[in-house]
Amino acid sequence: MVVSEAPRIVTSRIGFEDSHTLVRYLDTGGYTGLRKALTMTPEAVAAEVDGASLLGRGGAGFPAGRKWSMLRKGPIPYLVVNGDESEPATFKDHLLLEKDPHQLVEGVVIAAYALQVARVFIYIRGEFALGLERVQAALNEAYAQGAVGRDIFGSGFSVDIVVHPGAGAYICGEETALLESLEGKRGYPRIKPPYFPAAIGLYGEPTVVNNVETMSNLPWIITNGAAAFTALGEGRSTGTRLFALAGQVRNPGVYEVEMVKTTFRDLIYAPVLGGGVLHGRELKAVIPGGVSAPWIGPAQLDTPLGQDEVAALDTMLGSGSIVVMDETTCMVRAAWRITRFFWRESCGQCTPCREGSGWLEKILRRIEDGVGREADLDLLMDTCDNLAPGVSWPPQQTTICVLGPSIPSSIASAIRMFRDDFLVHIKEGGCPHG
Amino acid sequence: MSHLSAETLGRARDLVALYPHRRSALIPLCHLAQEQDGWLRPEAMEEIAGLVGVTPAEVLGTASFYDMLHTEPVGTYVVAVCTNIACMLRGAYELLEHAEDHLGVRAGQTTADGVFTLEDAECLADCGRAPCLQVNHRFFGDVTPEGFETLVADLRRGALDGEVPHHGTLLRVRRTGGLQVEPSRVEAERAASAGAAAGRANQGGKG
């Protein structure tokens, strides 16, 4: 098992106790990317990002450069940074916000310059109190340093950045819901089309929405050039990526690894990474890419961690979260808990999601409690089919946003991969795992 | 007579001025009110409504959507135990049950002395230290049942007052350097987006 020796692009500083301070940031090359960007034309900065083929790190994996180019034909009033990280078992932006807020700020100013945006809102999940404080403190330092605000580093370019706290709602990670929330409303996703806030975004104006990790890559890309970035990874998946490894592994945590050059097996078992399954047990299944993603089994562990490579397994790299479940895991319980999450977080606008999530949660709960019926398996799949016709991947849409049609992923995975787990519960009238 | 204190009101007005549209400050203002009162009181929502230009019902209707905004009183410490998948795989339900026994309440309830509100939370994004919990939105990771008892004892005797502020306090770091946004730009932005909205209305709501 070989772990590639790629440079750490976004986590180079996190080992320092004071990684969040301006002093440490400047000591480790901070704000040189921005200074360089300001000597280039905005178009050249945008072209560099486009050339890096930086795929958005939020979950959808849309190329950041292309997202920008949809807009650059006219003035763009707003850039919004999505720091509402709430996909279960995803905790990479949490790390970047707390440990390297200046890197985020620098990336945001670079993006604002490329897009010629004068106004940025960084929307941060409300539960990240420390992250909110760290980003605000970094902004205060950056304003004082002349890296944000009026006439940045004497370049004539000005931008204001406002930190905006969320208040606890998973759905606000969906970008149109986030914009509604930022407008002071309930986080209801907006009806599509328009598919992108590029057309109608914040206050009805063209808006770019980018993820925290995406922004945090920009200082390195501008400093080292797009070619250095595309030299890492393979195919469409360039650079490195943060993976949040959780569940039953010895060393859960956030790991920055080179795209495609690392496999699920490397990440989970390499001694310098996951260190293997907890207590040396056997691996039963893995949830790649957040709980909206279909699961994979032990036979698929040699798949490289790349966008297209994982998509070929009919699942996704998504938010970069990887959850390991070992041989002792009750798959009925796992599917139930994930479904319970969606039920609690459904915004309630669309019937299939609002009602379907509750039905599914109740049926799974009764199977787990030992009072399920064999017909319940068909009922589960039938209900899933109402949410996402065909229960295929990527799911067919029946609702305003992707939350509802994502619910069947874990249920269908659990039933298809571990049907016997369900049957044992039903026949024995209880959970064999206690 | 204002329910919000002069200090809270001053901070509230500074926040409102950060946005092209006042309503955007609604949620930050709800956080401020919670910082003052520990929860979101009706009197506070009424004043927030006035500050951002909506009705009190719209403030309640918005606030009630969000888990962190409490429109009923809560304890001094809101203890949110994550039970989502990553924490569940590492003993979160055992931890929650222990917390319920130790505090003598069920998840969703507040202890009789008003000190602790216990919550069964969704993923808090600290899965590298599962099972995790938050107290007033400050993280504690790798929490064992014994560790939970120590945490509760420490909170009771005030040993964690520096780390864990009053419920509702989000940012203890204030935005400094004054407002960086020129008022003339705010006016221009408001006019532009009002124009854009009018343009869409003229297209018969398409777009």
Side-chain angles (χ1 to χ4, degrees):
Chain A
M1 184 170 314
V2 183
V3 177
S4 90
E5 294 289 319
R8 293 206 286 170
I9 292 176
V10 291
T11 58
S12 65
R13 271 172 219 97
I14 60 167
F16 294 108
E17 191 67 24
D18 61 350
S19 62
H20 58 286
T21 63
L22 181 66
V23 172
R24 175 62 66 189
Y25 195 63
L26 292 175
D27 270 358
T28 48
Y31 290 108
T32 53
L34 174 59
R35 286 181 187 278
K36 183 176 172 187
L38 293 171
T39 65
M40 301 159 67
T41 64
E43 293 75 20
V45 175
E48 202 70 33
V49 175
D50 203 22
S53 307
L54 174 65
L55 301 181
R57 304 309 202 219
F62 195 80
R66 208 182 319 152
K67 211 178 212 180
W68 293 6
S69 63
M70 288 196 294
L71 276 163
R72 294 185 58 256
K73 294 163 194 95
I76 309 160
Y78 304 113
L79 167 64
V80 174
V81 179
N82 186 344
D84 192 51
E85 184 174 64
S86 312
E87 181 70 26
T90 309
F91 49 106
K92 63 183 183 71
D93 293 341
H94 181 193
L95 178 88
L96 294 176
L97 291 164
E98 286 185 2
K99 299 284 189 183
D100 209 339
H102 276 288
Q103 179 173 256
L104 171 65
V105 170
E106 184 179 359
V108 168
V109 180
I110 291 170
Y113 177 71
L115 295 159
Q116 290 292 292
V117 167
R119 187 83 99 124
V120 180
F121 296 99
I122 304 181
Y123 186 110
I124 298 176
R125 184 176 177 181
E127 288 88 344
F128 291 167
L130 180 61
L132 281 157
E133 289 180 339
R134 290 265 170 94
V135 175
Q136 186 60 64
L139 270 175
N140 291 347
E141 289 180 315
Y143 269 109
Q145 187 77 7
V148 180
R150 289 204 185 94
D151 189 21
I152 293 168
F153 294 148
S155 66
F157 176 68
S158 303
V159 65
D160 283 313
I161 303 178
V162 169
V163 175
H164 183 95
Y170 165 67
I171 195 57
C172 290
E174 200 267 3
E175 61 187 7
T176 65
L178 184 147
L179 294 175
E180 288 287 303
S181 181
L182 183 51
E183 290 183 3
K185 303 168 190 162
R186 293 182 148 225
Y188 283 157
R190 294 176 179 171
I191 292 171
K192 288 90 177 166
Y195 289 98
F196 296 100
I200 299 178
L202 186 63
Y203 312 127
E205 298 277 341
T207 304
V208 170
V209 183
N210 280 140
N211 164 265
V212 166
E213 184 186 344
T214 311
M215 292 285 100
S216 298
N217 271 282
L218 299 183
W220 194 95
I221 290 173
I222 297 302
T223 302
N224 298 280
F229 194 79
T230 54
L232 301 167
E234 212 174 282
R236 275 203 327 131
S237 301
T238 56
T240 61
R241 201 175 158 173
L242 294 183
F243 290 97
L245 182 63
Q248 288 151 334
V249 284
R250 282 207 182 91
N251 315 316
V254 175
Y255 298 99
E256 179 173 0
V257 299
E258 188 175 356
M259 294 274 266
V260 189
K261 303 296 170 62
T262 314
T263 65
F264 283 103
R265 187 182 306 283
D266 297 333
L267 183 66
I268 295 165
Y269 288 96
V272 294
L273 301 173
V277 179
L278 199 62
H279 309 305
R281 294 195 189 117
E282 290 297 315
L283 183 145
K284 190 166 175 180
V286 172
I287 311 173
V291 297
S292 306
W295 304 353
I296 62 170
Q300 289 150 328
L301 291 184
D302 293 313
T303 307
L305 296 169
Q307 185 118 330
D308 297 332
E309 291 77 2
V310 176
L313 300 179
D314 283 334
T315 182
M316 65 171 176
L317 215 44
S319 62
S321 124
I322 290 170
V323 179
V324 174
M325 297 187 279
D326 76 20
E327 58 189 319
T328 66
T329 306
C330 170
M331 294 310 186
V332 178
R333 194 170 166 82
W336 163 74
R337 185 61 188 86
I338 291 167
T339 305
R340 175 175 160 80
F341 161 77
F342 283 120
W343 168 62
R344 288 176 85 178
E345 297 295 338
S346 171
C347 84
Q349 284 191 102
C350 311
T351 310
C353 174
R354 182 187 63 241
E355 304 300 323
S357 59
W359 275 54
L360 291 164
E361 194 270 346
K362 281 195 191 77
I363 301 165
L364 286 162
R365 180 78 236 187
R366 77 175 173 227
I367 295 173
E368 171 67 3
D369 286 346
V371 288
R373 302 168 290 223
E374 202 160 337
D376 280 347
L377 292 184
D378 290 339
L379 185 56
L380 282 171
M381 289 307 286
D382 189 48
T383 309
C384 285
D385 190 71
N386 285 333
L387 268 162
V391 197
S392 54
W393 185 262
Q396 296 280 320
Q397 298 294 301
T398 52
T399 50
I400 293 172
C401 83
V402 296
L403 187 150
S406 300
I407 303 173
S409 292
S410 48
I411 299 168
S413 295
I415 293 177
R416 285 169 183 160
M417 294 167 75
F418 306 104
R419 193 177 181 87
D420 286 350
D421 275 26
F422 285 79
L423 295 176
V424 167
H425 279 74
I426 291 162
K427 283 177 188 146
E428 294 182 5
C431 179
H433 303 274
Chain B
M1 182 66 194
S2 169
H3 170 74
L4 298 177
S5 70
E7 194 219 334
T8 305
L9 267 179
R11 288 172 64 194
R13 291 198 179 103
D14 285 348
L15 282 173
V16 170
L18 288 174
Y19 299 93
H21 293 269
R22 286 189 290 166
R23 182 160 183 169
S24 278
L26 192 152
I27 289 166
L29 261 51
C30 287
H31 283 304
L32 267 193
Q34 283 206 145
E35 179 173 340
Q36 177 185 298
D37 297 328
W39 61 289
L40 200 49
R41 302 183 74 99
E43 308 90 293
M45 284 191 271
E46 214 163 292
E47 284 193 49
I48 290 168
L51 286 163
V52 303
V54 299
T55 66
E58 284 176 292
V59 176
L60 173 61
T62 305
S64 61
F65 185 81
Y66 294 95
D67 289 345
M68 290 174 69
L69 302 176
H70 293 274
T71 54
E72 301 285 336
V74 289
T76 312
Y77 299 110
V78 175
V79 179
V81 178
C82 173
T83 59
N84 205 306
I85 185 79
C87 281
M88 183 188 92
L89 292 169
R90 299 183 77 105
Y93 277 103
E94 291 74 8
L95 174 62
L96 181 64
E97 277 171 30
H98 186 81
E100 288 181 332
D101 290 346
H102 188 66
L103 294 175
V105 292
R106 307 281 295 173
Q109 296 176 338
T110 300
T111 54
D113 59 7
V115 177
F116 294 100
T117 296
L118 186 63
E119 290 182 345
D120 169 0
E122 291 303 341
C123 183
L124 296 166
D126 205 17
C127 326
R129 304 191 297 156
C132 73
L133 59 79
Q134 283 196 325
V135 183
N136 295 353
H137 303 297
R138 270 63 192 177
F139 280 105
F140 294 87
D142 295 317
V143 184
T144 59
E146 303 73 49
F148 183 83
E149 294 184 15
T150 309
L151 174 63
V152 165
D154 286 347
L155 287 165
R156 279 197 192 278
R157 65 189 172 86
L160 294 172
D161 284 357
E163 286 164 60
V164 180
H166 288 292
H167 180 253
T169 306
L170 216 49
L171 279 87
R172 289 165 296 183
V173 179
R174 307 282 169 84
R175 186 182 165 94
T176 57
L179 293 177
Q180 307 288 327
V181 185
E182 291 168 59
S184 63
R185 202 170 87 209
V186 173
E187 287 311 313
E189 284 171 339
R190 283 179 189 169
S193 61
R200 281 196 304 281
N202 289 339
Q203 291 164 17
K206 283 181 204 149

Coordinates of all heavy atoms in Angstrom, one line a residue, chain A residues 135-169:
Chain A
V135 N -13.0 32.8 12.0 CA -13.1 33.5 10.7 C -13.3 35.0 10.9 O -12.7 35.8 10.2 CB -14.2 32.9 9.8 CG1 -14.4 33.7 8.5 CG2 -13.9 31.5 9.5
Q136 N -14.1 35.4 11.9 CA -14.3 36.8 12.2 C -13.0 37.4 12.7 O -12.6 38.5 12.2 CB -15.4 37.1 13.2 CG -15.7 38.5 13.4 CD -16.2 39.2 12.2 OE1 -17.2 38.9 11.6 NE2 -15.4 40.2 11.7
A137 N -12.3 36.7 13.5 CA -11.0 37.3 14.0 C -10.0 37.4 12.9 O -9.2 38.4 12.8 CB -10.4 36.3 15.1
A138 N -10.0 36.4 12.0 CA -9.1 36.5 10.8 C -9.4 37.6 9.9 O -8.6 38.4 9.4 CB -9.1 35.2 10.0
L139 N -10.7 37.9 9.7 CA -11.2 39.0 8.9 C -10.7 40.3 9.5 O -10.3 41.2 8.9 CB -12.7 39.0 8.8 CG -13.2 38.2 7.6 CD1 -14.7 38.2 7.6 CD2 -12.8 38.8 6.2
N140 N -10.9 40.4 10.9 CA -10.5 41.6 11.5 C -9.0 41.9 11.3 O -8.6 43.0 11.0 CB -10.8 41.5 13.1 CG -12.2 41.6 13.4 OD1 -13.1 41.9 12.5 ND2 -12.6 41.2 14.6
E141 N -8.2 40.8 11.4 CA -6.8 41.0 11.2 C -6.5 41.3 9.7 O -5.6 42.2 9.4 CB -6.0 39.7 11.5 CG -6.0 39.3 13.0 CD -5.2 38.0 13.3 OE1 -5.5 37.0 12.5 OE2 -4.4 38.0 14.2
A142 N -7.2 40.7 8.8 CA -7.0 40.9 7.4 C -7.4 42.4 7.0 O -6.7 43.0 6.2 CB -7.8 39.9 6.5
Y143 N -8.5 42.9 7.6 CA -8.9 44.3 7.3 C -7.7 45.2 7.8 O -7.3 46.1 7.1 CB -10.2 44.6 8.1 CG -11.4 44.4 7.3 CD1 -12.3 43.4 7.6 CD2 -11.8 45.2 6.2 CE1 -13.5 43.1 6.9 CE2 -12.9 45.0 5.5 CZ -13.8 44.0 5.9 OH -15.0 43.8 5.1
A144 N -7.2 44.9 9.0 CA -6.2 45.8 9.6 C -4.9 45.7 8.7 O -4.2 46.7 8.6 CB -5.9 45.4 11.0
Q145 N -4.7 44.6 8.1 CA -3.5 44.3 7.3 C -3.6 44.9 5.9 O -2.7 44.9 5.1 CB -3.3 42.8 7.2 CG -2.0 42.3 6.6 CD -0.8 42.5 7.6 OE1 -1.0 42.9 8.7 NE2 0.4 42.3 7.1
G146 N -4.8 45.3 5.5 CA -5.1 45.8 4.2 C -5.3 44.7 3.2 O -5.3 44.9 2.0
A147 N -5.6 43.5 3.6 CA -5.8 42.3 2.7 C -7.3 42.2 2.4 O -7.7 41.5 1.5 CB -5.4 41.0 3.4
V148 N -8.2 42.9 3.1 CA -9.6 43.0 2.8 C -10.0 44.4 3.1 O -9.4 45.1 3.8 CB -10.4 42.1 3.8 CG1 -11.9 42.1 3.5 CG2 -9.9 40.6 3.7
G149 N -11.1 44.9 2.4 CA -11.6 46.2 2.6 C -11.2 47.1 1.4 O -11.3 46.6 0.2
R150 N -10.9 48.3 1.6 CA -10.7 49.3 0.5 C -9.3 49.2 0.0 O -8.3 49.1 0.8 CB -11.0 50.7 1.0 CG -12.5 51.0 1.3 CD -12.8 52.4 1.2 NE -14.2 52.6 1.5 CZ -14.6 52.9 2.8 NH1 -13.7 53.1 3.7 NH2 -15.9 53.0 3.1
D151 N -9.1 49.3 -1.3 CA -7.8 49.4 -1.9 C -6.8 48.4 -1.4 O -5.8 48.7 -0.8 CB -7.3 50.8 -1.7 CG -6.1 51.1 -2.5 OD1 -5.8 50.4 -3.5 OD2 -5.3 52.0 -2.1
I152 N -7.1 47.1 -1.6 CA -6.4 46.0 -1.1 C -4.9 46.0 -1.5 O -4.7 46.0 -2.7 CB -7.1 44.6 -1.4 CG1 -8.4 44.6 -0.7 CG2 -6.2 43.4 -1.0 CD1 -9.3 43.5 -1.1
F153 N -4.0 46.0 -0.6 CA -2.6 46.1 -0.9 C -2.2 47.1 -1.9 O -1.4 47.0 -2.8 CB -2.0 44.7 -1.3 CG -2.1 43.6 -0.3 CD1 -2.3 42.3 -0.6 CD2 -1.9 43.9 1.1 CE1 -2.4 41.3 0.4 CE2 -2.0 42.9 2.1 CZ -2.2 41.6 1.7
G154 N -3.0 48.2 -1.9 CA -2.7 49.3 -2.8 C -3.1 49.1 -4.3 O -2.6 49.8 -5.2
S155 N -3.9 48.0 -4.5 CA -4.2 47.6 -5.9 C -5.3 48.4 -6.5 O -5.6 48.3 -7.7 CB -4.6 46.2 -5.9 OG -5.8 46.0 -5.2
G156 N -6.1 49.1 -5.7 CA -7.3 49.8 -6.2 C -8.5 48.9 -6.1 O -9.6 49.4 -6.2
F157 N -8.3 47.6 -5.8 CA -9.5 46.7 -5.7 C -10.0 46.7 -4.3 O -9.2 46.6 -3.3 CB -9.0 45.2 -6.1 CG -10.1 44.2 -5.9 CD1 -11.3 44.3 -6.7 CD2 -10.1 43.3 -5.0 CE1 -12.3 43.4 -6.6 CE2 -11.1 42.3 -4.8 CZ -12.2 42.4 -5.6
S158 N -11.3 46.7 -4.2 CA -11.9 46.7 -2.8 C -13.0 45.7 -2.7 O -13.7 45.4 -3.7 CB -12.6 48.1 -2.6 OG -11.6 49.1 -2.7
V159 N -13.1 45.1 -1.6 CA -14.1 44.1 -1.3 C -14.4 44.0 0.2 O -13.5 44.1 1.0 CB -13.8 42.7 -1.9 CG1 -12.6 42.1 -1.1 CG2 -15.0 41.7 -1.8
D160 N -15.7 43.9 0.5 CA -16.1 43.7 1.9 C -16.6 42.3 2.1 O -17.2 41.7 1.2 CB -17.3 44.7 2.2 CG -16.7 46.1 2.4 OD1 -15.7 46.2 3.1 OD2 -17.3 47.0 1.8
I161 N -16.2 41.8 3.2 CA -16.6 40.4 3.5 C -17.4 40.3 4.9 O -16.9 40.9 5.9 CB -15.4 39.4 3.6 CG1 -14.6 39.5 2.3 CG2 -15.8 38.0 3.9 CD1 -13.3 38.7 2.3
V162 N -18.5 39.7 4.8 CA -19.4 39.6 6.1 C -19.5 38.2 6.4 O -19.8 37.3 5.6 CB -20.8 40.3 5.8 CG1 -21.7 40.0 6.9 CG2 -20.6 41.8 5.6
V163 N -19.3 37.9 7.7 CA -19.5 36.5 8.2 C -21.0 36.4 8.7 O -21.5 37.3 9.4 CB -18.6 36.3 9.4 CG1 -19.0 34.9 10.1 CG2 -17.2 36.3 9.0
H164 N -21.7 35.4 8.2 CA -23.1 35.3 8.5 C -23.4 33.9 9.1 O -23.1 32.9 8.5 CB -23.9 35.4 7.2 CG -25.4 35.4 7.4 ND1 -26.2 36.5 7.5 CD2 -26.2 34.3 7.5 CE1 -27.4 36.2 7.7 NE2 -27.5 34.8 7.7
P165 N -23.9 33.9 10.3 CA -24.1 32.6 11.0 C -25.5 32.0 10.5 O -26.5 32.7 10.4 CB -24.2 33.0 12.5 CG -24.7 34.4 12.5 CD -24.2 35.0 11.2
G166 N -25.5 30.7 10.3 CA -26.7 30.0 10.1 C -27.3 29.7 11.5 O -26.9 30.2 12.5
A167 N -28.4 28.9 11.5 CA -29.1 28.7 12.8 C -29.5 27.2 13.0 O -30.5 27.0 13.8 CB -30.2 29.7 13.0
G168 N -28.9 26.3 12.3 CA -29.3 24.9 12.5 C -30.3 24.4 11.6 O -31.5 24.3 11.9
A169 N -30.0 24.0 10.4 CA -30.9 23.4 9.4 C -30.0 22.8 8.3 O -29.4 23.6 7.5 CB -31.8 24.5 8.8

